[in-house]
Amino acid sequence: MASVTSLSDSVEQHLASALSATLPEAAGADPLLRRSDRADFQANGILALAKKSKANPRELAAQVVSHVVTGEELIKDVEVSGPGFLNITVADRAITANLAARYADDTGRLGVPTAAQPGTTVIDYAQPNVAKEMHVGHLRSAVIGDSLVQLLEFTGEKVVRRHHIGDWGTQFGMLIQYLDEHPHELDHKDAQVTGEEAMSNLDRLYKAARRKFDSDEEFKTRARRRVVDLQAGDPHTLAAWQKFVDESKIYFFSVFEKLDMEIRDPDIVGESGYNDMLAETCRLLEESGVAVRSEGALCVFFDDVKGPDGNPVPLIVQKSDGGYGYAATDLSAIRDRVFNLKASTLLYVVDARQALHFRMVFETARRAGWLNEDVTATQLAFGTVLGKDGKPFKTREGETVRLVDLLDEAIDRASTVVREKAQDLSEEEIAERGAQVGIGAVKYADLSTSANRDYKFDLDQMVSLNGDTSVYLQYAYARIRSILRKAGETRPAAHPELELAEAERALGLHVDAFAAAVAEAAGEYAPHKLAAYLYQLASLYTSFYDKCPVLKAETPAQVENRLFLCDVTARTLHQGMALLGIRTPEKL
């Protein structure tokens, strides 16, 4: 199925032809078309053209109008307003015919085109740490990253997912040494171990190892020797390390499953995955002069990065004791992603507090020639999750909030809402819908806020049926599915010959703008723009539902046409929500 040209693109092409027929030198000029509350669209491009060609804008606009073909096929009416704007009304027939073409797309893509020149994007997101509990701070990277994976893949981009988990470093010396001295700490009683059990095993061991490390000097010395063994690749030490990674993965996968997110094992390439490249990365940087030795450490300096004392703060790639920091790992990962994975774009969904580190890493990679015009790297820096009080989200005791607790509470709240509204759902269905509504609520609250802004985690607001929440969107979808079920034998069918009511036109024009909303959200790495589009779609549907009877419409043709409008709206909601990683239950 070929993609469907949107009404706005068709109108824009038509106006561009009229412009060049009026002013041959205006060929290729942008009519600057946008939605308007005075007509369906307004074109503002004539003002700039008139200024350029020293013409009177209103007269030029009138000449352009004389070259516009009006009728029932596309543009019904066009008039000059104000200093030279064009107000354009689209024919009802064109709206219905366009939606019918989208509806007929048997790929389920609703006629949305793929990008003209897709590339390969590596998205680095959802980066938990081995042997550590995931907390509320891990939520945003996972949710935003997962939505960008869906959005970019939908536009035709080849997406490589990377979960750069914290699975290396000095703390493993302490853990491995403790496990060596207490070999049964990570044994499982049953073959099937839950994520919760795996985490409590790790947590218990971590706390015990920490206590011993802090109180026993001889253990501390043994633990530090273990770090050296780990870095040297000693097989016994590596086997113990692998136990921690495997136990942590059982836990990670359980959390991601609760978040309704697909995380695949081959996509988990932690810090350890780049060990073999670290020495070469340092050699390449030093030989090319990008990095220099300073007090024994290998450093990269920047004119604009200075400490409080006014002295330059370098990016330290290798410490003076020969150890490697995050910078060496991150730079090696860039080399791997550019030269092995052949990425054209590197996208890092990482907390805004890491902004300086990534700015220095990217600049170093540019100086080394690994990033250039053909390969770009971007940090999608996200803000903090705040409590209702507007301060960083903590428990009453001042601890960071466990992610699992947060998700469980969201599911509980949502299940209560579903139970209150449910008419014919079994307990099993209520539990399933409760999970879909609760997790959807958490994701939507995150994704409907611009990533770089902080947002308040307020579960009462998130599971509310009123306002800009995923529950509102899910209920709109479920309501449409209910109407389509009630229609029984009457099938949705498009009738382009029918006149449309105002609410039908507004809904139809907005459904047609889905492709543009997807392209904008993917192009700007801005899922919140898609969320805003979907909220408006649900609001316009509610208004249509209130003003236009569907099953009790005046004629059989109108019933079919309104059912068709319902169905194409439902499909758009379903596809749009899926791109945000949110389920749309058929019944609520």
Side-chain angles (χ1 to χ4, degrees), residues 529-573:
K529 294 201 164 174
L530 179 59
Y533 167 88
L534 294 169
Y535 174 58
Q536 201 184 346
L537 179 64
S539 306
L540 288 167
Y541 178 77
T542 303
S543 165
F544 155 79
Y545 180 76
D546 290 343
K547 293 173 184 157
C548 304
V550 177
L551 300 176
K552 293 195 166 81
E554 289 169 19
T555 64
Q558 200 175 42
V559 172
E560 290 177 353
N561 200 56
R562 285 182 178 169
L563 282 171
F564 153 72
L565 264 176
C566 287
D567 202 5
V568 76
T569 301
R571 290 181 189 189
T572 307
L573 267 174

Side-chain angles (χ1 to χ4, degrees), residues 173-174 177-178 181-182 207-225:
M174 170 184 93
Q177 187 58 39
Y178 188 85
E181 295 173 17
H182 304 81
K207 284 174 178 159
R210 183 88 246 177
R211 276 195 302 273
K212 194 153 176 65
F213 188 85
D214 291 341
S215 62
D216 181 337
E217 282 304 316
E218 286 177 3
F219 176 78
K220 192 179 274 189
T221 307
R222 293 198 297 277
R224 287 188 172 141
R225 269 201 299 255

